[in-house]
Amino acid sequence: MPPATFTPATRAWFDAAFPAGPTPVQRRAWQAIGRGENALAIAPTGSGKTLAAFLSAIDRLCRPSEEGEQRGVRVLYISPLKALGADVERNLRRPLAGIAEAAEEMGEPAATIAVGTRTGDTTPAERRRLRTHPPDILITTPESLYLMLTSAVRETLRSVETVIVDEIHSFAGDKRGTHLALSLERLDDLLPRPAQRIGLSATVRPPHRGARPSGPARGGPTWPGPPVDGAAARCGAATGPCAPPWPPVPTVPRVPGAPPPA
């Protein structure tokens, strides 16, 4: 069953939708995410790792907002492909609708959670709407994130709490990955505290290749915890979390003229 820390409506929806219970990677991901750690979830396609990342974030959004809480994007999902982002948006509708229905059946207020997409195909009218009425969950690409951070729309990102980076292996070791790592640092500079980062991959090997976009680089700290591997034997551990000494995450140079850390 899902973590006891999830709201009753979230647990009820998950139990009804998945009678067999969570997969190993979901259980381990929720443990790391629940501790507030950054996480890199590695498991085959179809293992439920994307749902694990989103369900934790959705559950937070379902909780009553604090008085005076800033309105803006709270969950940022970054996909290397526009088509993948569109699939995720469709797949998000199921848990959002299901949790809302479960809450109503329990007599609890159902949270209204808005989802938006910002890519190169987004129309000017839709971009203006995203700026004036930012969604709770924003699906985007690395390139669009960069453009948002260099425009006035970055103000809608000051409330981001969770960053989910999908297909992280596609960024590892190339210029696009370095570009994304820099954008994530610029994003953290906007926030009162760094966002929790969750990386997802089916194939990244060795696991620490995904650490740079997933782990914080400010000040050069080490990877904050072992990757959540859905097949621990691949990492040389028959049981339990993989725990080799991951190398430090390189410090990302600050862009000339960029504002100092908050």
Side-chain angles (χ1 to χ4, degrees):
M1 63 182 302
T5 53
F6 279 3
T7 61
T10 302
R11 295 200 306 271
W13 171 79
F14 187 90
D15 289 340
F18 304 97
T23 63
V25 73
Q26 288 175 332
R27 287 195 296 267
R28 298 174 69 181
W30 286 333
Q31 290 171 2
I33 295 170
R35 292 191 296 266
E37 299 172 359
N38 293 341
L40 174 57
I42 306 171
T45 300
S47 60
K49 58 185 179 295
T50 304
L51 177 62
F54 269 119
L55 200 60
S56 291
I58 290 171
D59 188 70
R60 290 183 197 173
L61 295 176
C62 288
R63 300 174 186 274
S65 301
E66 297 181 8
E67 186 175 352
E69 188 174 57
Q70 183 178 0
R71 176 68 179 177
V73 176
R74 294 177 60 187
V75 180
L76 188 65
Y77 170 85
I78 303 171
S79 164
L81 303 172
K82 290 182 287 186
L84 179 60
D87 287 341
V88 167
E89 182 179 12
R90 285 192 296 269
N91 293 335
L92 267 177
R93 303 299 177 185
R94 183 185 177 196
L96 289 174
I99 293 171
E101 183 178 350
E104 291 177 358
E105 291 176 353
M106 294 177 174
E108 299 177 355
T112 300
I113 299 174
V115 180
T117 301
R118 168 69 188 267
T119 68
D121 295 335
T122 305
T123 64
E126 178 64 12
R127 291 180 187 179
R128 288 192 295 271
R129 191 189 68 80
L130 290 173
R131 178 181 176 184
T132 56
H133 297 87
D136 301 289
I137 302 174
L138 180 63
I139 297 169
T140 190
T141 61
E143 291 76 18
S144 290
L145 174 60
Y146 170 79
L147 293 175
M148 287 188 286
L149 289 169
T150 54
S151 69
V153 77
R154 65 178 173 270
E155 296 302 315
T156 66
L157 302 177
R158 290 187 179 275
S159 50
V160 169
E161 300 168 356
T162 305
V163 175
I164 301 171
V165 183
D166 207 348
E167 301 290 333
I168 203 167
H169 56 272
S170 67
F171 301 113
D174 63 12
K175 292 181 179 179
R176 203 177 185 205
T178 301
H179 195 274
L180 175 59
L182 180 58
S183 290
L184 292 178
E185 289 305 298
R186 297 182 71 178
L187 172 65
D188 274 351
D189 283 349
L190 295 175
L191 309 177
R193 59 179 178 273
Q196 184 177 31
R197 299 180 187 177
I198 304 170
L200 307 174
S201 177
T203 62
V204 64
R205 290 289 182 260
H208 68 258
R209 288 188 70 220
R212 185 175 184 183
S214 300
R218 183 182 300 172
T222 58
W223 173 250
V228 178
D229 200 315
R234 298 181 193 169
C235 296
T239 59
C242 307
W246 307 115
V249 179
T251 301
V252 178
R254 186 167 303 283
V255 174

